[in-house]
Amino acid sequence: MHNVEAQSKIERLAFCDFLTELPNKHAYYKFLCQLIADSQINLTTFSLLLLNVGSFQLVNDSLGHSVGNAVLQNISNLLSNTINKVPNSFLARFSGSKFIIIIPNRQNIDCLSLLTQRILEIFSSTIEVNDYRFHLTANIGTAAYPTDGSTSQELTRNVESAMNHANEFSKNGHAKYSKSITKKNMEKLEIKNELQDAIKDNQFVLYYQPIVNSVTGRITAAEALIRWIHPSKGLISPALFIPIAEETGQIIKIGEWVIKIAIDQYAKWETQGLNDINFETGYSITKLIIELCDSRNIYTTSEGVETDEQRQELIKLNCTNLQGYLFSRPLPSDDFIKYYRNNIITTTDITQLTSVSNIAT
């Protein structure tokens, strides 16, 4: 009897999450491996759902781990009440604020979708703990056996990829695993690894998009825009690598590089007679913002001007400066100098400026 009790205690220590009283990650893998073995024999299927509670770290950082633990206990109870309604289901605390669910016999798609929706509805309501009220979010990734993996490691990796994909694009949303998600993750990892070489090997360049006075058409400023010229992949969009650089912290080194190159370029332009250009960052405007800035004698710049009709309307609104493909695309520094000099020679009125914008192509 003593040995049985000792064995039971060891099992509990090994496979139970003591905070939530749910099975832990070890128990999950044990259950999953057995389920895969049974499914291979019985030719059955099942689904995995991995849930991540958003903004949970903020709770811990702001109110301490005792409150955070109470929140997790509350969430685990709510999840248990929902999951227990599905026969033969399995719920475990995967790690931190992540919970994993296994639905054997792979309920039909409508049933799985309904369960996912019910779980997300938990987070659409306020969660109250210790006199605190929390508006938390959750994202869910789903994967299916054997479609999305035949081993415990493969299934777990893929359901995590689906959950991370859901985290990127929504709050209180879900994503089903697909091979395109893995492909995207591989591309992201590749860019992350290659960014360091890009910084070291000077693979970045700055392009400069002119900003012109709305009435005279004269260039008043330039916006510096970073471009990555990869040695084998060619031009890589900033929309692709900037978020990754921000995530990894590499954006700091990139930012330092941009500032240095822009200052050096400005100094070079001054020696070439381009001494009335300022660097600016663009932003979209509305009539209210223009009027507010105008009342305080603040210059305004409108980005994305592509048609003469847009230009005319912005002039009526007293917008000071304009920027967009109507005037020029972003240009390498040498082409910008040519554009600037043509602009000085040819523009006394903005309608003449469009005739030289082909330099930007």
Side-chain angles (χ1 to χ4, degrees):
M1 180 65 71
H2 179 73
N3 288 339
V4 172
E5 290 178 356
Q7 183 63 34
S8 176
K9 187 174 182 179
I10 291 171
E11 288 272 331
R12 178 172 168 75
L13 288 171
F15 297 113
C16 180
D17 176 69
F18 286 92
L19 175 64
T20 62
E21 295 294 321
L22 292 174
N24 62 17
K25 184 185 284 190
H26 298 297
Y28 154 73
Y29 275 113
K30 182 181 179 181
F31 183 90
L32 180 60
C33 289
Q34 185 60 55
L35 185 59
I36 290 173
D38 293 342
S39 298
Q40 289 172 341
I41 295 171
N42 301 320
L43 301 179
T44 53
T45 62
F46 59 87
S47 296
L48 299 178
L49 292 82
L50 182 61
L51 175 148
N52 180 56
V53 181
S55 306
F56 178 74
Q57 189 60 46
L58 185 60
V59 175
N60 271 342
D61 293 343
S62 303
L63 301 173
H65 288 279
S66 61
V67 175
N69 288 344
V71 169
L72 285 178
Q73 289 170 332
N74 187 297
I75 290 172
S76 70
N77 290 334
L78 293 170
L79 288 174
S80 294
N81 292 337
T82 302
I83 302 305
N84 287 342
K85 296 174 184 177
V86 180
N88 302 316
S89 58
F90 177 88
L91 169 66
R93 185 184 178 196
F94 189 71
S95 65
S97 58
K98 296 176 183 176
F99 296 85
I100 194 150
I101 302 157
I102 300 178
I103 308 298
N105 302 320
R106 196 174 170 190
Q107 309 289 321
N108 64 62
I109 294 175
D110 289 339
C111 179
L112 192 62
S113 177
L114 181 60
L115 176 62
T116 301
Q117 195 58 43
R118 284 178 177 171
I119 293 171
L120 292 176
E121 284 173 1
I122 292 173
F123 297 90
S124 64
S125 303
T126 302
I127 295 176
E128 297 186 14
V129 174
N130 297 349
D131 297 326
Y132 293 105
R133 294 164 58 87
F134 299 100
H135 296 278
L136 300 174
T137 61
N139 287 296
I140 297 174
T142 63
Y145 172 88
T147 310
D148 301 325
S150 58
T151 67
S152 60
Q153 292 85 356
E154 187 179 14
L155 280 167
T156 303
R157 181 178 66 246
N158 290 343
V159 78
E160 282 191 278
S161 293
M163 184 205 67
N164 291 332
H165 185 75
N167 284 341
E168 282 186 39
F169 294 100
S170 64
K171 292 182 178 180
N172 281 357
H174 69 279
K176 185 183 183 304
Y177 173 76
S178 67
K179 289 182 179 179
S180 64
I181 291 178
T182 294
K183 182 181 178 182
K184 181 183 176 184
N185 287 341
M186 291 300 295
E187 290 172 350
K188 183 176 178 181
L189 180 62
E190 199 171 70
I191 288 175
K192 178 181 175 181
N193 292 335
E194 292 179 342
L195 266 175
Q196 195 61 41
D197 290 335
I199 297 169
K200 183 181 65 176
D201 298 338
N202 291 318
Q203 294 174 13
F204 295 117
V205 296
L206 288 186
Y207 279 34
Y208 304 90
Q209 188 167 21
I211 297 172
V212 303
N213 182 277
S214 62
V215 177
T216 67
R218 286 292 183 90
I219 295 176
T220 59
E223 182 179 9
L225 302 167
I226 191 169
R227 298 289 185 264
W228 181 3
I229 311 298
H230 191 280
S232 61
K233 298 175 182 175
L235 184 66
I236 297 179
S237 169
L240 189 58
F241 71 82
I242 290 296
I244 297 173
E246 290 174 337
E247 182 182 310
T248 61
Q250 292 167 306
I251 193 67
I252 296 173
K253 286 186 177 180
I254 293 174
E256 291 172 348
W257 179 88
V258 168
I259 292 170
K260 179 183 182 302
I261 297 301
I263 290 173
D264 289 348
Q265 184 63 66
Y266 183 76
K268 182 178 179 181
W269 282 347
E270 280 193 312
T271 65
Q272 296 174 319
L274 283 71
N275 53 11
D276 58 346
I277 294 178
N278 298 310
F279 285 116
E280 297 187 6
T281 57
Y283 51 93
S284 299
I285 57 172
T286 63
K287 185 175 185 294
L288 178 62
I289 294 174
I290 294 175
E291 289 177 350
L292 177 63
C293 292
D294 194 42
S295 68
R296 300 186 180 186
N297 295 318
I298 298 173
Y299 291 144
T300 53
T301 300
S302 179
E303 283 187 334
V305 182
E306 297 185 358
T307 67
D308 191 62
E309 289 76 13
Q310 292 172 337
R311 177 185 68 83
Q312 294 286 359
E313 189 62 33
L314 288 163
I315 290 174
K316 290 177 185 177
L317 294 175
N318 292 325
C319 182
T320 316
N321 298 311
L322 307 175
Q323 181 187 35
Y325 282 14
L326 177 63
F327 314 107
S328 174
R329 296 174 181 270
L331 302 170
S333 58
D334 290 344
D335 288 346
F336 183 88
I337 292 173
K338 295 176 186 176
Y339 182 88
Y340 176 83
R341 287 175 175 160
N342 277 337
N343 176 259
I344 290 176
I345 295 169
T346 61
T347 56
T348 55
D349 182 88
I350 198 166
T351 55
Q352 295 174 280
L353 185 60
T354 57
S355 64
V356 296
S357 64
N358 288 334
I359 299 174
T361 59

